[in-house]
Amino acid sequence: MTAVTIRDVAMRDGLQIEEPIDTATKLELLEAICATGVREVEVTAFVSPSKVPALADAAEICRHLHRFPDVRFSALVASVNGARRALDAGVAHLEYVVSASDAHSRANVGRDTEASAALIGDIVDAAHIADATVEVIIATAWDCPFDGPTPTGRVTRIVEQAVAAGADRIAIADTIGTTTPRRVTDLVDAVRPLIGDLPLGAHFHNTRGTGLASAYAAVQAGITRLDASVGGLGGCPFAPGASGNIATEDLVYLLRDCGIETGVDLDAAIRAGQVAIGAVGGGTGSALMRAGDRKLVGQA
Amino acid sequence: MTAVTIRDVAMRDGLQIEEPIDTATKLELLEAICATGVREVEVTAFVSPSKVPALADAAEICRHLHRFPDVRFSALVASVNGARRALDAGVAHLEYVVSASDAHSRANVGRDTEASAALIGDIVDAAHIADATVEVIIATAWDCPFDGPTPTGRVTRIVEQAVAAGADRIAIADTIGTTTPRRVTDLVDAVRPLIGDLPLGAHFHNTRGTGLASAYAAVQAGITRLDASVGGLGGCPFAPGASGNIATEDLVYLLRDCGIETGVDLDAAIRAGQVAIGAVGGGTGSALMRAGDRKLVGQA
């Protein structure tokens, strides 16, 4: 393991439960994120503006992405209609979310898991016709806030459906920030044999303080794609006041010491975290924002 | 790996940089800590009351320990004189701290590393005559706030001196909360061959968000003794506002999912964390205090 690709998700997962902020402020945040050297950014979601007003400017945001030619941008969708809107807006990489627990799936998109998984094929077809890719993200892959622990078989079934439907990537997401290293290892081991050469990503929240430990376990298990959010944006509606996504800068700090390249500049990521916290007007922020980098060289 | 012994250090490392609180309040905290089922508690320090006024009541605290016969209590000392005072107060288990970096050692105890290490033998002798044990804790084992990275050889040299002097336990401490999993593994691997059958412990702060990941790496490397602090008490004077020691409840949450027994009840640890935060009148608290346990069973 010598490199990990970090996808910054502050623009989508970080902002989606916040009060809406204006597009210009978002673009300043995007500028700061792209200045970190991060190679992938989840930039918005094409979902119901009434359910997620904070991301109602999705198409407008996409008009500015040409300014960052070195970054791979993706957008989240939750329906075939959303996928079409994203493709119309020029998005080249879709993320389609399927919750592995029925209760979360219904709360999130008004359909159960099976009904959501049944749409993968249509979304993949629409994307591929438009020369776009689809990553299937399996939400509540470890736990559901309503249904409790998610049986592994519910996750692997979605994985098999996604692979059969021609998905280009798979990701497993700890939507409510409950998982821990051993459970990460177990699920990665269960999923990997099913996906051939498809890239596998993982998405962790730090809600219970275990996000970085889980990310480290994922990397040990061979995961090379991790989501993270500058400033640790992305709190969970089921745990008010808790930490959000694992912070990009905290993850970079950890991986750097493990000799793992991310291409992300730590100081720039801390600055982007400050922009992120400023943009949303608060939040817990990241550990690196509070404590700063460690001293890297000894005194002569 | 099926069991890890957690030592709660909130009473010492947690309180030492706080404004002094009265002894009765401390005893309420101690009661809450012991009610968690934790088997070891670092209960105070016999150090200069003028330098650490928060622990000036060390001898008084020790008069109450007989109420908790199932808990192994230890107290930190920084000099031969402190060791004698602790032994006079009936402490059966001393911790003697030696900073692996000269600059931290001088700032902490007014002596360089070599001068501190030279006292190990006297402290061990005084303790053993009194039927007490001595754990040598190597502070700034990974990094010093002044000197930067600590060369591994400075740590292993202290380990060898401690073993030669008859120390009963060794511990490596991430005093300023900078270390990360790979560096933990590397140092554990360097120290373990030097200590024979002596117990080896590790002490992590979550200052840069990596504390639990480092603890997990330590457990993977064979460490079975970890320090932690209810409520995550124990902020670092070099990083104001940052997180403190890894929180006992967060660590228990992680280890439970890994099938590792600690004997600590998670709900009781969360309650003790609340007592701790109440006692010091603030602090960041733990992730489990903010988010609560995950739902452990599915719906029928």
Side-chain angles (χ1 to χ4, degrees):
Chain A
M1 179 71 46
T2 56
V4 161
T5 301
I6 296 175
R7 171 167 60 192
D8 197 283
V9 300
M11 290 285 290
R12 197 283 301 176
D13 201 7
L15 297 181
Q16 72 173 8
I17 68 162
E18 301 288 340
E19 289 295 308
I21 61 175
D22 61 89
T23 305
T25 302
K26 285 187 193 178
L27 292 172
E28 286 170 20
L29 173 56
L30 180 60
E31 188 107 36
I33 291 170
C34 293
T36 66
V38 74
R39 294 167 193 134
E40 301 198 359
V41 169
E42 180 187 61
V43 74
T44 188
F46 287 82
V47 291
S48 160
S50 61
K51 277 189 73 174
V52 189
L55 303 181
D57 60 354
E60 170 64 16
I61 289 287
C62 290
R63 276 194 276 278
H64 297 268
L65 304 185
H66 63 88
R67 289 161 47 195
F68 311 97
D70 297 333
V71 178
R72 178 193 194 272
F73 289 105
S74 56
L76 185 145
V77 303
S79 67
V80 178
N81 185 46
R84 294 222 173 88
R85 286 168 50 217
L87 295 167
D88 287 346
V91 174
H93 303 289
L94 305 185
E95 305 162 21
Y96 177 56
V97 176
V98 179
S99 287
S101 72
D102 282 326
H104 184 267
S105 188
R106 280 190 216 102
N108 208 31
V109 294
R111 297 183 302 262
D112 66 12
T113 300
E114 190 59 37
S116 280
L119 301 180
I120 297 173
D122 289 345
I123 289 168
V124 168
D125 291 346
H128 285 180
I129 288 169
D131 268 340
T133 71
V134 176
E135 169 174 343
V136 173
I137 300 180
I138 302 167
T140 62
W142 285 273
D143 292 299
C144 169
F146 315 111
D147 286 344
T150 303
T152 302
R154 291 187 65 90
V155 176
T156 53
R157 175 160 165 74
I158 303 166
V159 170
E160 289 168 334
Q161 291 170 299
V163 171
D168 302 285
R169 288 187 180 189
I170 307 291
I172 44 180
D174 180 26
T175 309
I176 57 169
T178 54
T179 198
T180 45
R182 172 79 66 90
R183 302 177 80 208
V184 170
T185 306
D186 289 347
L187 191 60
V188 171
D189 289 348
V191 168
R192 182 175 294 285
L194 308 176
I195 63 170
D197 291 335
L198 289 189
L200 178 62
H203 176 104
F204 299 110
H205 285 248
N206 201 31
T207 319
R208 283 161 186 85
T210 56
L212 279 185
S214 293
Y216 176 63
V219 170
Q220 286 183 305
I223 293 277
T224 59
R225 297 178 181 282
L226 291 170
D227 285 354
S229 164
V230 292
L233 248 54
C236 178
F238 302 105
S243 299
N245 285 279
I246 56 171
T248 300
E249 52 271 35
D250 296 353
L251 179 61
V252 169
Y253 177 85
L254 184 154
L255 294 177
R256 182 187 63 183
D257 267 355
C258 297
I260 296 170
E261 287 296 323
T262 63
V264 178
D265 180 78
L266 182 54
D267 290 337
I270 293 172
R271 285 195 296 275
Q274 287 157 343
V275 173
I277 294 299
V280 302
T284 57
S286 65
L288 265 287
M289 283 172 60
R290 291 185 290 273
D293 197 0
R294 70 182 173 93
K295 192 176 178 193
L296 293 173
V297 292
Q299 285 176 334
Chain B
M1 178 71 48
T2 57
V4 161
T5 301
I6 295 175
R7 170 167 60 191
D8 197 282
V9 300
M11 291 284 291
R12 196 283 303 174
D13 201 8
L15 297 182
Q16 73 173 8
I17 68 162
E18 302 287 340
E19 289 295 308
I21 61 175
D22 61 88
T23 304
T25 302
K26 284 187 192 177
L27 292 172
E28 286 170 19
L29 173 57
L30 181 60
E31 188 107 37
I33 291 170
C34 292
T36 66
V38 74
R39 296 168 191 133
E40 302 198 359
V41 169
E42 180 187 62
V43 75
T44 189
F46 287 81
V47 291
S48 161
S50 62
K51 276 190 74 175
V52 188
L55 303 180
D57 60 356
E60 170 64 17
I61 289 288
C62 289
R63 276 193 277 278
H64 297 268
L65 304 185
H66 63 89
R67 289 160 48 194
F68 310 98
D70 298 332
V71 178
R72 177 193 195 273
F73 289 105
S74 56
L76 186 145
V77 303
S79 67
V80 178
N81 184 45
R84 295 221 172 88
R85 285 169 50 217
L87 296 167
D88 288 346
V91 174
H93 304 289
L94 306 185
E95 306 162 22
Y96 177 56
V97 176
V98 179
S99 288
S101 72
D102 283 326
H104 184 266
S105 188
R106 282 191 212 101
N108 209 31
V109 294
R111 297 183 301 263
D112 66 12
T113 299
E114 190 59 39
S116 280
L119 300 179
I120 297 172
D122 289 345
I123 289 169
V124 168
D125 290 346
H128 285 179
I129 289 169
D131 268 339
T133 71
V134 175
E135 170 174 342
V136 173
I137 299 179
I138 302 167
T140 62
W142 284 274
D143 291 299
C144 169
F146 314 112
D147 286 345
T150 303
T152 302
R154 291 188 65 91
V155 176
T156 53
R157 175 161 165 73
I158 302 166
V159 170
E160 290 168 334
Q161 290 170 300
V163 171
D168 302 286
R169 287 188 180 189
I170 307 291
I172 45 181
D174 180 25
T175 309
I176 57 169
T178 54
T179 197
T180 46
R182 171 80 67 88
R183 302 177 79 208
V184 170
T185 306
D186 288 348
L187 191 59
V188 171
D189 288 348
V191 167
R192 182 174 294 285
L194 307 176
I195 63 170
D197 293 334
L198 289 189
L200 178 62
H203 175 104
F204 299 110
H205 286 248
N206 201 31
T207 319
R208 284 163 186 83
T210 56
L212 279 184
S214 293
Y216 177 63
V219 170
Q220 286 183 306
I223 292 276
T224 60
R225 297 177 182 282
L226 291 170
D227 286 354
S229 163
V230 292
L233 247 55
C236 177
F238 302 105
S243 299
N245 286 278
I246 57 171
T248 299
E249 52 271 36
D250 296 353
L251 179 61
V252 168
Y253 177 86
L254 185 154
L255 294 178
R256 182 186 64 183
D257 267 355
C258 297
I260 296 170
E261 288 296 322
T262 62
V264 178
D265 180 78
L266 181 54
D267 291 336
I270 293 172
R271 285 195 296 274
Q274 287 157 342
V275 173
I277 293 299
V280 302
T284 59
S286 66
L288 266 288
M289 282 172 61
R290 290 186 290 272
D293 197 359
R294 69 182 174 93
K295 191 175 178 193
L296 292 174
V297 292
Q299 285 176 333

